[in-house]
Structures are given as structure tokens and as C-alpha cells.
Amino acid sequence: KIRYLGQVACLIQVFDVRSGGYASQAAELLNDRDLWERVVNTLSCSCQQACQKCLLGFDTRFEAERLDRLAALDWVNSAWLDLLAVPTTNQVFETGTQAETASLLEAVERELAKGVFEAVAITMAGSPDQWDLARARYLRNRLHAWRTRGLAVHLRLPAGVLLSISDLDRQHLAALAQSDVAVETLDVTDLANGFRPVIGLKTGNRCLTWASDNLGMVIPDRYWGTQPDGYKLLRGDLIWQHPQQRLSAESLTPPVPECVVAIEMHHELDGQLQTFGKRFWTHLASQVPTIQRILNGEEKIVEITYEDRYVRNPATAATVMLVLYEAARLGGPVKSPSILVRGIAFHRDDNRSQYQCWHDWQDEQARDVAIQAAFEYCGLKAAVKSQPALPHGRTLTLKLESGCSLTIQLDQGFSYWEVVSDSRQRQVSTFKFHAKEIGKELAELRINLKGQDDTPTQIYVKRQ
């Protein structure tokens, strides 16, 4: 017996004697009633404890004293078999509903391996202000992987959602459409009892579908595809639904105002963290005349504000801090501008120890104290504030002495640049989360950064 979700539960162990490992392939069978009926029949022997007709065999003969079919029957019996059935209230598929024992994506890959499906359909729903395709890297990677394998990929959005989603999400949808992902509108009907289709696999006019009562599974963000404990995942058969409209990349791409400079970055800024800020501003100055004038001392910054929901670990925080530090020094030794960093309140649910610079802080208080101390260590005063909510946009605003301002919007924020992790960097990337001189620890973090391998990022600069 084990403790699961605060309750005592029984545990079934699958013993695998094959060196290659087949237990993962058995996962689909473990919810099959026929399998357990055979188990119950085997245990319903006439012997007192164990014999060659039930439990004793070549593999179990050395454990004969521990074998007890009656103890097993106390749990695995006909009454227990009835509990395996999906409750009537959750029978959401007309042709038969099965509880999915694997995780969502493991189950999808298990079925795709059978080679009988021709298309994958993914449902996206939820409130548009919760969408964050820039952070939904795993979703985007899976879509591209399925296309590479020759599958048709359908990404299905509620009709009318384009009027509500952000320009950054539209840009990512346009990029997917350019990659031959069918971005479509279709109002997917919810199933009974609050279940909603998440992913479907098409063969002919039928669609093997997975549905969940967890709305978060259809929201395209960094947690897409994960199934928190306590929610249900069911699978069954539906008729394949044809979309209302397929959206072109051109119709998805938001218009870029003439006053906005769009900059695409990939690996241009790869290198040492300590000089990242200088590389960032030099690169922007080569494409934005106003920033070049600031570098030349012709314009002066009087106020710097950065807003980002996703600054939660020392690596990203140090990147932000060094970019703002260099912004404060642009144009030479002048009076330091005021600096404000806004983040969002959070609490880390993972109880594992923190020791690498990409591990999250425990909460926003620890993060805010560290960032503020890092600015002070560098000789600058900065206000670091957290609030319950912030927009998805990662926005850096520079107010100039002339009264104008520059708004720099990063579609994936500074967390786009990842820590180069290899055996040589492993020791260097450690971070002392409880260091007495936490500002020094953060400001002097010495790691290498690189852009994400699979996709570039976009930065938009607007002068107002």
C-alpha cells in the first residue's frame, strides 16, 4: 500500500524480466477488464495459499512462502472489477468510453505507433487572455514533429477568437500556418459532464479522441499537454468534424504599424551573460535610429520600466538586470534613470532542492529581494514590485528626456535565451539561493546563453 493524494491506496507492480523492457507497452492492457477477469479466475483456485495452477511458476518458485492468493483476492475480486468501469456520469462517448491510464501525449504516441492514423487534430480553447503560444514550446514542437512524420496536423480554434487574442499569439499562429499546419476555426462541442475534446486522431471518417475535465489542457501555454493530479482523461470514438474555415498565414499575421520596427533574433546574441546587455543594445541600435542616438548621447533616458510575468529563476533575472543596467549607462555617465521592474506573484510547488540557476525561486518575495539587491550591488537603485496579475506581453519601456518614449516588446521575453548546459558549464551554473550576499551572487552570475534552437524570437520597437 502507498499514500496517494493524502489517502492510502493499493499499488500494482508490473515485473518485467525482459532486458529490453516491455512494461511501458503493458500500460494499455492494465485497464482492460478482460485481463483482470483472467487474473481473478487464476486467483480463484482451490488451494490454500498458492500452487502450480495459480501463482507458483518458474519465476515465482523462490518466493513461494510469500505468495498468498487469498490476500490478493481480498482486493482484486469481482467487486473491484466493477470499480474499474467508467462511471455512468462519465460515459461521454456514445460508442464506448475508456479511462486513459497513460499521460495524454504518451497515449497519443502509443496509438500513432500503430500506423493507422492519417491526421492529428488539437483543440485550443479557454479565455484568450490565458493563451501564450510563445511559451507553448512543447505544443509547437509536437505540431512540427507530427508534420515531419507525414501526418496532417489540424489546429482548431473557436470561431471569432482572432478578435480577442494578442498580436503575439497571432504571429505564432501565422508561423504555424506557414509550416503547413492547418489552422482552422471550429466550435468544438463539449461532451457531457464538463469533458472537452483535447486531441483526436483521424482514420477514415472516425476520430479517436481524448477528452478531459481539466480546461487547462486546451489552453495553449507552457503547461499544455500536462495532466495535474485529480483530473480525468478519457478516450473514445467520435465522427471526424470538418472545419468551418482554414485560416491563411496572411489572414493571421497582424498588421505592423509603420512606426514599429520588427526585429527577428535567433543566435545573434549568443555568448557570455555578463556582456549580454551590451550585445543587446548594440544589436538594437543597428536597426533603431533612436537607440543609436541614445548611444551617441543625443537622447537621454530618464525612466526604465520592464514588465514580465515569467521572470522566476536567477538566469532570466540576471539577464533582465544586466540589460536594464546597460540601458541606464547608455550615452555615457549621466544621472541614472529611475528603474522599475514589475513581476507577478507566484509560489513554487516543486519541493525539490534548488541549486541550478535555471531553477525557480520559491516565491516572488525571494526573487524581488535578489533582483533589487543585484541592482544595489551594481550601484543603481531600482524598485521591484510584484502584483497579482500582469498582461502576457513582455514590455520594456524607455522614457526619454525629450518627452518621447520607446516601447520594446519581446514576444518571449528574456527567458528566450537559455543557459548553455553541458558538463563544463554544470559547476559554473550553480546558484546559492540562500547566499548572504544574494545581490552579488546574482549580478556576478557567469554563464553562457544561447537562443532556442527550434525557433527565432521577435522584438518590436515603437517610438511614441
Side-chain angles (χ1 to χ4, degrees), residues 71 81 185 218:
L81 284 176
T185 58
V218 294

Side-chain angles (χ1 to χ4, degrees), residues 372-441:
Q372 190 158 348
F375 277 111
E376 292 174 358
Y377 177 78
C378 294
L380 294 175
K381 290 184 178 181
V384 183
K385 299 180 179 180
S386 292
Q387 47 199 71
L390 274 179
H392 279 302
R394 296 86 170 169
T395 306
L396 172 57
T397 304
L398 308 178
K399 287 191 177 180
L400 307 179
E401 194 175 55
S402 63
C404 297
S405 64
L406 279 181
T407 301
I408 303 170
Q409 192 161 20
L410 302 93
D411 73 335
Q412 298 184 60
F414 290 104
S415 57
Y416 169 79
W417 287 275
E418 301 173 324
V419 179
V420 176
S421 178
D422 56 34
S423 58
R424 292 167 296 179
Q425 283 281 312
R426 204 71 176 173
Q427 187 65 33
V428 178
S429 62
T430 58
F431 186 82
K432 299 176 183 176
F433 281 81
H434 302 290
K436 290 183 179 180
E437 296 183 85
I438 192 66
K440 178 180 179 181
E441 181 77 10

Side-chain angles (χ1 to χ4, degrees), residues 164-436:
S164 305
I165 64 174
S166 69
D167 285 351
L168 292 177
D169 284 332
R170 289 184 62 137
Q171 289 156 11
H172 281 284
L173 290 174
L176 290 170
Q178 288 176 334
S179 302
D180 206 22
V181 172
V183 182
E184 307 165 340
T185 58
L186 177 65
D187 287 325
V188 177
T189 304
D190 284 357
L191 305 175
N193 205 24
F195 282 84
R196 173 167 293 183
V198 181
I199 292 182
L201 302 181
K202 178 179 184 290
T203 177
N205 68 342
R206 307 302 297 179
C207 184
L208 177 62
T209 304
W210 284 265
S212 176
D213 57 349
N214 175 21
L215 178 60
M217 293 192 75
V218 294
I219 296 174
D221 61 9
R222 66 180 297 191
Y223 303 108
W224 177 87
T226 59
Q227 179 76 355
D229 289 339
Y231 289 97
K232 304 175 186 68
L233 185 63
L234 306 174
R235 76 174 185 270
D237 198 37
L238 293 174
I239 297 175
W240 176 262
Q241 290 184 282
H242 295 282
Q244 296 161 336
Q245 180 185 8
R246 179 165 178 171
L247 304 171
S248 66
E250 292 74 18
S251 66
L252 289 165
T253 304
V256 179
E258 294 182 2
C259 59
V260 173
V261 178
I263 304 169
E264 183 171 279
M265 290 189 186
H266 201 182
H267 294 295
E268 294 84 353
L269 304 185
D270 290 4
Q272 296 179 355
L273 167 65
Q274 289 297 315
T275 55
F276 181 89
K278 291 181 180 179
R279 298 196 302 277
F280 179 82
W281 292 112
T282 300
H283 188 80
L284 262 61
S286 67
Q287 303 188 50
V288 182
T290 301
I291 296 178
Q292 185 61 58
R293 287 198 294 274
I294 295 172
L295 282 173
N296 297 338
E298 300 168 19
E299 297 250 26
K300 298 188 186 303
I301 302 173
V302 296
E303 185 178 308
I304 302 171
T305 304
Y306 183 64
E307 295 184 346
D308 193 332
R309 296 178 58 167
Y310 303 105
V311 179
R312 298 189 178 186
N313 63 65
T316 303
T319 307
V320 170
M321 192 278 300
L322 290 169
V323 167
L324 303 192
Y325 171 74
E326 292 298 335
R329 299 175 62 199
L330 291 177
V334 294
K335 182 181 178 181
S336 297
S338 64
I339 300 173
L340 172 61
V341 179
R342 286 197 185 99
I344 194 171
F346 71 94
H347 182 78
R348 181 175 181 264
D349 294 326
D350 192 341
N351 292 322
R352 290 176 293 182
S353 60
Q354 308 147 285
Y355 60 94
Q356 295 288 1
C357 64
W358 55 80
H359 293 164
D360 287 356
W361 272 290
Q362 194 63 37
D363 53 37
E364 79 280 359
Q365 294 179 343
R367 174 199 61 193
D368 295 353
V369 167
I371 295 175
Q372 190 158 348
F375 277 111
E376 292 174 358
Y377 177 78
C378 294
L380 294 175
K381 290 184 178 181
V384 183
K385 299 180 179 180
S386 292
Q387 47 199 71
L390 274 179
H392 279 302
R394 296 86 170 169
T395 306
L396 172 57
T397 304
L398 308 178
K399 287 191 177 180
L400 307 179
E401 194 175 55
S402 63
C404 297
S405 64
L406 279 181
T407 301
I408 303 170
Q409 192 161 20
L410 302 93
D411 73 335
Q412 298 184 60
F414 290 104
S415 57
Y416 169 79
W417 287 275
E418 301 173 324
V419 179
V420 176
S421 178
D422 56 34
S423 58
R424 292 167 296 179
Q425 283 281 312
R426 204 71 176 173
Q427 187 65 33
V428 178
S429 62
T430 58
F431 186 82
K432 299 176 183 176
F433 281 81
H434 302 290
K436 290 183 179 180

Side-chain angles (χ1 to χ4, degrees), residues 111-128:
E111 298 299 326
L112 287 176
K114 297 177 181 177
V116 299
F117 297 100
E118 60 203 66
V120 182
I122 298 91
T123 301
M124 289 169 48
S127 176

Side-chain angles (χ1 to χ4, degrees), residues 79-100:
W80 180 79
L81 284 176
D82 293 337
L83 296 176
L84 280 182
V86 177
T88 304
T89 54
N90 290 339
Q91 294 280 348
V92 298
F93 296 100
E94 293 182 1
T95 57
T97 301
Q98 290 182 283
E100 182 56 72

